[in-house]
Amino acid sequence: MATYLGFDSSTQSLTATVIEVTSSERRIVFEHVLQFDAELPEYGTTHGVIESDDGKTVTAPPAMWAAALDRMAGILAASGMDLSAIRAVAGSGQQHGSVYLTADAGAALRGLDAAGPLTEQIGGMFSRTDSPVWLDCSTTAECAALTNALGGDAALARLTGSRAYERFTAAQIRKFASADPAAYTRTARIHLVSSFMASLLAGRHAPLEPGDASGMNLMDLAARRWSPAALDATAPDLGRRLPPIHESWTVTGDIAPYWRRKYGFGPAIVIPWSGDNPSALVGLGLVTPGALGISLGTSDTVFGPRAQPAPDPGGAGHVFGSPAGGYMALTCFANGSLARERVRDAHGLDWDGFAAALRNTPAGNGGAMMTPWFVPEITPPVAHPRPRRHNLDGAAPSRLVRAIVEAQAMAMRLHSRWIAPGPATIRATGGAAANREILQVIADVFDAEVVRGAPRNAASLGAALRAYHAERRSEGELVPWEDVVAGFTAPDTELRLRPDPANVAVYAGLLPEYAAFEKQAR
Ligand code: XUL
């Protein structure tokens, strides 16, 4: 039996997915989610992060992600599954977050000892014990400096796929290097969440791959290598502190003895981890240009594959490398489930009550509107968040629920036209994709059929599929991507929402009104 393991280290949880691939069988044999707040409370996170009082600085302890990986390996071993049959391991991480290690890290990674817990052995390798994550928006000044040095927004987007963004790693590194130069000097390697986790598995510094490296404002997107100009504009001697960029399917090495001795893994190979969005692209089976995916998670993202690295003409979106080769386009909304949960909790609802509110209110909400900004928004940029309301004075909770979901869906439509102007079908994933009422609003706003990707976590499935593809490739077998995903990414036929023509007409009229409302509210 051949099995492949994929992880997804996201904002709030670590997921593991194991797939089995034989000539007659293709199935998911294991899937488990470990929530950071509930299962590792000693790290003191809320929704997986630590927010500082300035309302802008958001970090997470990288040791918590390592502890979760160790805990998950124990859960896998206890599940009774034969871990020695796993041939390859890949993963994905929340994008943009960075991990800062000293020169001792290489030896610490090589020397991991199965006799002790992982976290006790890695404590000394950090030159900075917290990691800035994608929710951080404290680096506006650094973004301005980078933009200036690199010839303006459009030039930076042409070079790296995105204009400067607060959460992107270049701005974060620049801030760290000037705020704490001594700690920067002690830093010998800066990893992303993805390459840090892969390093733990491989017992050596792992490389980056173009999918996640393109979320840094540091990679020359077309050349798929570090841009000397972007490195120079960011921090002194940065090039030697970054991992090399390898193709997404190269083999990093064998899984470290720590995992073999402690949990019973066999000689599995480790494949570079990618970002969660690039990995979800594969896990949703979006391997041919023209397709569109929506991930409804802590952040909401809209994305699709593309052949060329041309950036978003509107300036709001990103172009990343795709781990399946070529590129992907993405627009990210910070107010995803965080905003839905705020409205749900403010009115004492559970998710069933939230869904009922959508069922009991009409499309268009009788002319009421709200902007969905509870935390600083990425698309469109909103630094000082406050939901703005229109025609909602004294409104019942159900109308507020509809207002937030409609606003999110209309913002997604307005800001994703550059990715796929009129998609016929959209693949949805993420926790909120379980909610058919939310998917119906999206179907009506986009005038497109929405189907849910069968497994909840497309990113960790994507990682397992990448592990399969890379392992076959390492054995000389080039499996086409359509065949890699076949049998795993067929949509859930139970959750297939067709647009309702009457509602489509309502939203066609509302979209320009919402665009004007959004502009005025900013
Ligand atoms: C994408 C982004 C988020 C994170 C969190 O640019 O910032 O989607 O990847 O998962």
Side-chain angles (χ1 to χ4, degrees), residues 312 316 331 333 379-380 410-418 518:
D312 173 12
T331 305
F333 302 85
T379 314
M410 287 195 280
M412 283 191 229
R413 173 98 203 254
L414 290 169
H415 299 288
S416 69
R417 285 196 167 121
W418 69 286
E518 184 189 84

Side-chain angles (χ1 to χ4, degrees), residues 189-191 195 204-210 213 219 224-226 239-247 250 272:
R189 181 54 46 99
I190 303 175
H191 278 294
S195 57
R204 53 186 283 197
H205 284 299
L208 280 166
E209 53 74 65
M219 190 184 86
R224 289 165 121 83
R225 56 170 183 258
W226 299 123
R240 68 176 169 84
R241 292 182 162 86
L242 295 176
I245 302 170
H246 289 175
E247 283 301 353
T250 47

Side-chain angles (χ1 to χ4, degrees), residues 10-11 93-96 134 167-168 275-277 298-301 318 320 330 332 378:
S10 71
T11 317
Q94 54 171 306
Q95 295 194 256
H96 319 297
W134 67 274
R167 70 193 192 285
F168 276 47
D276 53 359
N277 293 295
T298 307
S299 63
D300 287 344
T301 52
H318 316 299
F320 297 142
L330 174 136
C332 180
I378 295 164

Side-chain angles (χ1 to χ4, degrees), residues 47-71:
H47 299 304
V49 300
I50 296 170
E51 232 175 280
S52 73
D53 294 337
D54 65 9
K56 291 185 167 182
T57 308
V58 186
T59 61
M64 175 181 76
W65 303 325
L69 189 64
D70 208 21
R71 179 84 60 93

Side-chain angles (χ1 to χ4, degrees), residues 91-225:
S92 65
Q94 54 171 306
Q95 295 194 256
H96 319 297
S98 40
V99 181
Y100 298 77
L101 304 182
T102 66
D104 299 334
L109 287 166
R110 278 192 300 279
L112 291 176
D113 178 1
L118 184 65
T119 41
E120 279 175 20
Q121 302 176 58
I122 63 169
M125 68 162 78
F126 298 107
S127 55
R128 176 180 182 182
T129 52
D130 60 359
S131 288
V133 297
W134 67 274
L135 282 158
D136 185 282
C137 49
S138 66
T139 57
T140 307
E142 287 77 11
C143 287
L146 288 170
T147 308
N148 227 353
L150 293 162
D153 285 337
L156 186 52
R158 270 196 310 277
L159 177 66
T160 69
S162 304
R163 66 167 172 80
Y165 276 91
E166 278 81 352
R167 70 193 192 285
F168 276 47
T169 326
Q172 295 294 339
I173 294 173
R174 189 181 162 105
K175 178 183 163 193
F176 177 59
S178 72
D180 194 346
Y184 180 75
T185 304
R186 277 201 314 279
T187 303
R189 181 54 46 99
I190 303 175
H191 278 294
L192 292 183
V193 179
S194 57
S195 57
F196 169 63
M197 299 295 273
S199 301
L200 295 174
L201 284 176
R204 53 186 283 197
H205 284 299
L208 280 166
E209 53 74 65
D212 215 18
S214 46
M216 301 173 81
N217 280 140
L218 290 173
M219 190 184 86
D220 177 329
L221 189 64
R224 289 165 121 83
R225 56 170 183 258

